[in-house]
């Protein structure tokens, strides 16, 4: 009976459409698919018709057959899952792209691994004046949790070595690099940074927290414009291959690496027709105060790249209120659990920060604030609330980035104030770094509200998900899996870490699609599969709704479409056979 109905309905619609005249043929017609649209009114469909870069129809394969013309490219999806293209709502794309040619330490497990990798990289790159790399984590250094220059000197002494921690908040230099930068016992700490020193001698240990890393980066060699462009092209290929169609760049204070300093490169890629990702930019605003010339630059970027631009949108600002839990630089309301003498500190004085937020809010500029400690999160919420009241603005959708800890009373404020919670689900991956360093520092009292995804969601907060690449992989499928499980690949801890904060698959997908689009005022153009929206979609090798969630991280993208154009296509289609092993996505 049900089968009969299924056949009867499309036939009726098809003959009706015929009577009403055939629609303009599609450029691209995807049929025989399982289309998850992320639209509540029509969550599932079988086919999508695309013309002039936009979705023109979503429905059954039979219904949409009428969009087939002589020049229509038809893709038989072989019952594969199709979803809207994924956003990365928080990324450092240029920095990540440049890191692709550097030494990567993401997979090392301990100091010996790191030393081996540094030595091998130095030997393989005899012409490199500096050995630059990234990706070590705090748990690799035992109880101390901070690296020391002598361990690098032991493997490379004749050339400078500078290695960024996985989170981008701490650097590790050898003696040669410290000497070239003139960092000595008597060098004062820069504002918002700490040169870690030997408690007996005062000599720098080689660990450099926060802005102290800039002292070294300033003397390290900078890539040329052509090298940066080449890196961006490589990064775009990886992003498209992972299923990303839109990235939201978060400005930062790393010299020569903040994307907002390189609008011209993105412009060039766009002019040359090479941009295969939609890009939203945010201008980095340094503490401690918004000067007239800062505002001028922000407004110029917004004028040249209006937020409504489909490809390269500006008009947002990124600020840092604090650091990270692991190095005790996140600003907390009460002392750290492992050291009652430490409470972290704010990079902005609260008054200056609130004034800057109010001014930007008044000018219609969206604010993204990095806030990891519960004290920083509260200050950002307070500032957004006061700005809206003072300026009588609404729907500004200011965002808070990371929110690793939060006071219980602040959880419902996201929904109430319509502040976006920008999370990176893989940051809560319960590995050694999280369970031994992060949790030891943050403490068990804060634990139930660590990355409080479900609590903020349930109280009406909008969420947007991303990676923070190069902090973790830009491949979103690891993030989707961790959003649902909060469990390592080895299945630890059983039942997931703080199971109450896990999300459903539908929620996780929404955070990477419609929620992410909403977080930059793009929900009417992107984020779901709906007629009239931009044709950004992906075809996957497996049906996430039918598989064991522990397999989600293995997902491979078979096709990525941006603006109706196929920007990535794997050999797995159209034969729809079992996909081959993934190409390397860092
Ligand atoms: Zn970031």
């Amino acid at each position: 009976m049900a089968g009969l109905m299924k056949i009867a309905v499309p036939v009726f619609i098809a003959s009706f459409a015929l009577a009403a005249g055939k629609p303009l043929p599609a450029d691209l017609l995807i049929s025989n698919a399982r289309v998850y649209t992320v639209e509540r009114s029509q969550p599932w469909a079988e086919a999508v018709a695309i013309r002039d870069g936009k979705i023109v129809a979503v429905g059954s394969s039979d219904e949409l057959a009428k969009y087939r013309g002589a020049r229509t490219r038809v893709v038989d999806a072989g019952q594969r899952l199709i979803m809207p293209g994924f956003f990365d709502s928080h990324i450092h794309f240029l920095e990540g792209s440049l890191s692709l040619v550097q030494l990567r330490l993401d997979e090392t497990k301990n100091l010996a691994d790191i030393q081996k990798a540094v030595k091998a990289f130095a030997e393989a790159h005899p012409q490199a004046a500096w050995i630059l790399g990234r990706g070590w984590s705090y748990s690799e250094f035992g109880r101390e949790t901070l690296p020391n220059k002598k361990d690098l000197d032991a493997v490379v002494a004749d050339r400078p070595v500078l290695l960024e921690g996985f989170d981008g908040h701490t650097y590790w230099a050898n003696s040669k690099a410290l000497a070239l930068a003139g960092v000595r016992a008597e060098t004062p700490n820069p504002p918002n940074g700490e040169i870690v020193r030997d408690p007996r001698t005062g000599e720098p240990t080689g660990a450099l927290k926060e802005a102290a890393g800039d002292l070294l980066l300033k003397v390290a060699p900078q890539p040329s414009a052509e090298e940066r462009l080449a890196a961006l092209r490589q990064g775009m290929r990886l992003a498209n291959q992972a299923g990303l169609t839109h990235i939201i760049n978060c400005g930062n204070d790393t010299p020569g690496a903040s994307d907002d300093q390189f609008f011209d490169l993105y412009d060039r890629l766009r002019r040359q027709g090479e941009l295969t990702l939609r890009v939203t930019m945010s201008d980095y605003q340094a503490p401690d105060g918004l000067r007239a010339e800062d505002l001028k630059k922000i407004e110029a970027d917004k004028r040249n790249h209006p937020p409504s631009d489909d490809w390269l949108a500006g008009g947002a600002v990124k600020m840092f209120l604090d650091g990270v839990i692991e190095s005790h630089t996140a600003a907390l309301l009460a002392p750290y659990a492992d050291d009652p003498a430490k409470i972290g500190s704010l990079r902005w004085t609260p008054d200056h920060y609130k004034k800057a937020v109010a001014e930007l809010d008044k000018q219609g500029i969206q604010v993204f604030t990095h806030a990891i400690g519960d004290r920083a999160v509260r200050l950002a919420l307070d500032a957004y609330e006061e700005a809206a009241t003072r300026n009588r603005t609404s729907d500004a959708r200011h965002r808070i980035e990371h929110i690793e800890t939060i006071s219980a009373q602040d959880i419902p404020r996201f929904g109430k104030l319509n502040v976006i919670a920008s999370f990176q689900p893989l940051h809560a991956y319960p590995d050694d770094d999280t369970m031994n360093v992060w949790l030891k520092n943050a403490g068990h009292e804060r634990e139930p509200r660590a990355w409080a995804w479900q609590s903020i969601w349930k109280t009406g907060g909008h969420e947007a998900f991303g990676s923070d690449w190069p902090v973790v992989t830009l491949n979103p499928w690891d993030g989707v899996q961790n959003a649902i499980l909060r469990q390592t690949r080895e299945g630890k801890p059983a039942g997931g870490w703080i199971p109450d904060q896990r999300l459903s698959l539908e929620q996780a997908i929404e955070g990477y699609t419609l929620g992410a689009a909403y977080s930059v005022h793009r929900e009417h153009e992107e984020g779901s599969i709906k007629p009239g929206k931009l044709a950004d979609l992906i075809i996957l090798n497996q049906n996430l709704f039918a598989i064991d969630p522990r397999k989600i991280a293995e997902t491979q993208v078979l096709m990525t479409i941006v603006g109706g154009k196929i920007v990535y296509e794997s050999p797995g289609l159209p034969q729809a056979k079992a996909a081959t092993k993934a190409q390397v996505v860092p």
Side-chain angles (χ1 to χ4, degrees):
M1 189 61 195
L4 254 177
M5 285 291 287
K6 223 172 155 190
I7 296 163
V9 172
V11 167
F12 168 75
I13 289 169
S15 50
F16 175 81
L18 215 64
K22 216 171 176 236
L24 284 172
D27 301 327
L28 183 62
L29 177 62
I30 306 168
S31 57
N32 188 29
R34 296 174 202 272
V35 182
Y36 182 62
T37 66
V38 195
E39 279 293 321
R40 287 209 173 87
S41 58
Q42 185 193 5
W44 290 97
E46 292 173 353
V48 184
I50 293 163
R51 190 174 54 242
D52 295 333
K54 290 195 172 170
I55 297 164
V56 289
V58 181
S60 73
S61 296
D62 288 345
E63 280 165 1
L64 267 60
K66 65 187 175 205
Y67 287 92
R68 190 175 181 155
R71 269 185 249 171
T72 302
R73 173 166 180 186
V74 181
V75 173
D76 179 338
Q79 289 292 300
R80 303 283 188 182
L81 181 66
I82 296 195
M83 295 204 289
F86 267 40
F87 279 62
D88 194 316
S89 303
H90 182 124
I91 197 165
H92 305 280
F93 198 68
L94 178 58
E95 200 177 343
S97 299
L98 287 169
S99 78
L100 295 172
V101 294
Q102 297 180 348
L103 167 61
R104 304 285 315 203
L105 300 168
D106 311 70
E107 301 299 323
T108 57
K109 295 267 179 283
N110 51 47
L111 177 60
D113 283 357
I114 297 175
Q115 287 178 311
K116 221 168 99 185
V118 172
K119 192 160 184 273
F121 189 89
E123 279 165 11
H125 297 81
Q127 306 303 329
W130 283 59
I131 308 300
L132 299 170
R134 73 175 328 284
W136 56 265
S137 55
Y138 301 94
S139 57
E140 291 176 280
F141 304 100
R143 275 194 64 80
E144 284 303 301
T145 71
L146 282 177
N148 195 293
K149 62 183 176 186
K150 68 177 191 320
D151 296 318
L152 288 178
D153 294 344
V155 284
V156 179
D158 57 337
R159 276 187 284 170
V161 181
L162 184 61
L163 306 174
E164 187 181 4
F166 82 100
D167 60 1
H169 286 263
T170 310
Y171 280 81
W172 175 19
N174 69 350
S175 294
K176 184 86 182 173
L178 291 167
L180 283 173
V183 174
R184 291 183 286 269
E186 56 275 23
T187 309
N189 285 336
N192 297 309
E194 182 193 347
I195 301 166
V196 181
R197 299 161 203 271
D198 184 305
R200 286 177 305 111
T201 64
E203 279 294 318
T205 64
L208 304 138
K209 291 187 186 180
E210 306 293 338
D214 297 355
L215 300 171
L216 283 280
L217 286 168
K218 275 184 207 146
V219 295
Q222 286 290 325
S224 68
E226 288 310 319
E227 283 167 336
R228 289 180 196 279
L229 277 171
L232 286 174
R233 288 186 188 103
Q234 198 181 342
M236 284 195 296
R237 273 196 301 277
L238 279 178
N240 289 151
Q241 187 183 327
L244 298 177
T245 59
H246 191 139
I247 53 166
I248 301 171
N249 268 324
C250 287
N252 66 19
D253 53 357
T254 310
S258 187
D259 290 270
D260 61 302
Q261 297 160 13
F262 299 96
F263 263 107
D264 60 319
L265 298 184
Y266 285 94
D267 270 329
R268 236 166 98 183
L269 291 171
R270 180 193 193 164
R271 272 199 312 276
Q272 290 163 199
E274 290 183 82
L275 211 52
T276 59
L277 272 175
R278 303 187 193 279
V279 182
T280 299
M281 299 280 236
S282 54
D283 287 9
Y284 171 67
Q285 173 58 49
D288 179 40
L290 180 73
R291 298 164 304 173
E293 60 260 43
D294 296 329
L295 195 58
K296 240 171 103 182
K297 187 213 178 252
I298 294 161
E299 286 180 326
D301 283 341
K302 187 180 175 186
R303 226 176 10 257
N304 296 332
H305 301 91
S308 58
D309 191 304
D310 284 346
W311 284 100
L312 187 52
V317 164
K318 167 84 183 299
M319 300 194 249
F320 284 78
L321 268 186
D322 67 349
V324 293
I325 298 284
E326 288 89 332
S327 67
H328 303 99
T329 51
L332 298 181
L333 290 162
Y336 278 86
D338 66 313
D339 186 348
K342 291 180 177 152
I343 195 163
S345 62
L346 292 165
R347 292 198 194 179
W348 288 69
T349 48
D351 276 355
H352 286 177
Y353 171 71
K354 285 181 177 176
K355 245 173 100 180
V357 167
E359 181 62 32
L360 293 165
D361 178 81
K362 200 165 106 190
Q363 307 299 333
I365 290 158
Q366 202 182 358
V367 181
F368 303 172
T369 300
H370 166 119
I372 283 181
D374 44 22
R375 182 172 178 217
V377 173
R378 178 169 297 169
L379 175 56
L381 288 166
D382 288 348
Y384 293 165
E385 183 170 19
E386 286 177 31
T389 307
R390 191 196 303 184
N391 300 328
R392 297 172 191 275
T393 46
S394 64
D395 205 30
R397 302 187 199 176
H398 298 309
R399 309 191 342 170
I400 303 182
E401 311 297 317
H402 311 308
I403 321 158
E404 295 187 5
T405 59
I406 186 169
S407 161
Q409 69 199 79
D410 289 327
I411 287 174
R413 297 177 72 196
F414 282 85
K416 218 171 99 204
L417 305 171
N418 201 21
V419 169
I420 309 290
S422 169
F423 281 117
Q424 302 73 42
L426 203 52
H427 287 195
Y429 187 71
D431 60 2
D432 278 356
D433 190 73
T434 305
M435 304 313 279
N436 297 337
V437 185
W438 191 96
L439 189 53
K440 169 177 68 75
N441 295 2
H444 289 287
E445 192 281 320
R446 292 184 181 93
E447 187 179 8
R449 299 176 309 280
W451 289 277
W453 306 326
Q454 194 59 274
S455 298
I456 291 177
W457 197 296
K458 272 194 201 144
T459 49
H462 284 271
E463 300 189 8
F465 294 161
S467 68
D468 209 2
W469 190 56
V471 173
V472 298
T473 172
L474 57 56
N475 186 341
W477 309 106
D478 292 276
V480 173
Q481 180 170 319
N482 202 49
I484 296 167
L485 296 177
R486 293 177 73 120
Q487 199 174 52
T488 65
R489 297 272 190 122
E490 295 74 38
K492 283 182 189 163
W497 183 44
I498 323 161
D500 288 352
Q501 297 298 352
R502 291 175 306 173
L503 297 173
S504 68
L505 175 60
E506 289 84 353
Q507 287 176 309
I509 293 168
E510 189 171 324
Y512 282 101
T513 56
L514 199 53
Y518 182 87
S519 85
V520 284
H521 298 272
R522 295 285 298 170
E523 76 277 15
H524 296 299
E525 291 82 18
E526 295 171 67
S528 67
I529 300 176
K530 186 182 178 184
K533 284 198 173 186
L534 296 169
D536 298 352
L537 15 127
I538 52 178
I539 306 181
L540 305 185
N541 73 327
Q542 55 178 358
N543 181 357
L544 306 188
F545 293 85
I547 60 165
D548 181 339
R550 287 171 299 184
K551 303 263 184 244
I552 291 175
E554 295 163 20
T555 299
Q556 290 164 47
V557 175
L558 300 180
M559 186 180 278
T560 303
I561 297 164
V562 182
K565 230 175 90 185
I566 297 167
V567 295
Y568 170 73
E569 190 172 4
S570 108
L573 267 181
Q575 300 87 338
K577 59 178 185 218
T580 50
K581 189 148 169 51
Q583 286 89 337
V584 184
V585 174

